[in-house]
């Protein structure tokens, strides 16, 4: 199916474990983004990528790692999960930079115990 | 660093009424976008207004932009229960990615 998908949709993990959240888009959009959404903080940018092999940090990048070897995939890894990383994570893509609308995935709800 | 701030944080209206949400921002922008988020879903783009535009319409949505006051408003006319959602503004300052506000939660009561 065309669009932007995220997996898993729900994940429970323990403190200290490594977790990878997957994001896949079928539009061949250049830009991809990872956000986290927490009550009281709105949507905050973790990392973004302008093209394959090009990534940049966002506002809250500490504790996260990304890669983009293929245009369509943009996985987000929590190297050693902490309770403060419990959140809902959204992946998004856009045709170009911030002057264009972003298309969001359905989100991954991550709980770190 | 939050650029856009929505006001009010929450709004409850009756079906058929108009809903107005406001967004204020701090620095100059190239464009401002509004998004809707239904409970448990990702954000959906509603409308984009460029800095040289003052008003834009899309169906029952009307967006205004006042760059002198660094503010924008989103008006939903003749609201429906299906409009119940959170609404976010996002600002583009040109050299950074979009920055989202914290959102306005709209409840439309049937």
């Amino acid at each position: 199916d065309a669009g932007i998908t995220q997996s898993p949709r729900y994940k429970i993990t323990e403190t200290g474990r490594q977790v990878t959240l997957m994001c896949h888009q079928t539009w061949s959009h250049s830009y991809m983004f990872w956000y986290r959404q927490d009550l009281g903080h709105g949507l905050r940018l973790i990392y973004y990528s302008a093209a394959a092999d090009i990534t940049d940090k966002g506002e809250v990048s500490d504790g996260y790692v990304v890669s983009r070897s293929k245009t369509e995939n943009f996985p987000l890894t929590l190297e050693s999960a902490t309770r403060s990383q419990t959140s809902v994570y959204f992946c998004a893509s856009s045709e170009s930079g911030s002057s264009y609308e972003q298309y969001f995935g359905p989100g991954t709800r991550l709980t770190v115990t | 660093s939050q650029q856009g701030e929505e006001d009010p944080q929450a709004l409850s209206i009756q079906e058929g009424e108009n809903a107005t949400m406001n967004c204020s921002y701090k620095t100059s922008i190239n464009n401002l976008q509004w998004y809707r988020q239904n409970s448990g879903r990702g954000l959906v783009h509603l409308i984009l207004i460029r800095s040289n535009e003052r008003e834009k319409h899309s169906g029952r949505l009307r967006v205004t932009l006042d760059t002198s006051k660094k503010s924008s408003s989103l008006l939903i006319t003749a609201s429906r229960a299906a409009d119940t959602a959170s609404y976010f503004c996002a600002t583009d300052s040109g050299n950074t990615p979009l920055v989202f506000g914290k959102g306005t939660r709209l409840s439309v009561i049937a």
Side-chain angles (χ1 to χ4, degrees), chain B residues 48-99:
Chain B
L48 181 154
I49 186 165
R50 303 196 186 282
S51 60
N52 60 353
E53 297 175 312
R54 290 296 166 259
E55 189 170 310
K56 217 165 178 184
H57 297 254
S58 177
R60 293 183 296 112
L61 306 181
R62 182 175 79 113
V63 168
T64 61
L65 179 64
D66 187 335
T67 53
S68 67
K69 294 182 180 178
K70 292 187 170 61
S71 69
S72 174
S73 68
L74 170 67
L75 168 68
I76 303 173
T77 59
S79 62
R80 306 165 181 168
D83 294 327
T84 293
S86 291
Y87 292 81
F88 295 85
C89 67
T91 51
D92 163 33
S93 298
N95 56 357
T96 59
L98 279 182
V99 178

Side-chain angles (χ1 to χ4, degrees), chain A residues 8-12 21 86-89 106-111, chain B residues 40:
Chain A
R9 294 294 315 279
Y10 303 90
K11 177 76 177 178
I12 300 174
L21 310 183
T86 292
S87 186
V88 181
Y89 291 85
T108 293
R109 183 175 294 275
L110 176 69
T111 302

Side-chain angles (χ1 to χ4, degrees), chain A residues 37 40 59 98-99 101-102, chain B residues 1 31 33 35 37 48 92 96:
Chain A
Q37 186 175 35
E59 180 187 355
S98 52
S99 295
E101 65 181 280
Q102 292 187 13
Chain B
S1 58
N31 70 66
Q33 303 181 29
Y35 288 78
Q37 184 181 33
L48 181 154
D92 163 33
T96 59

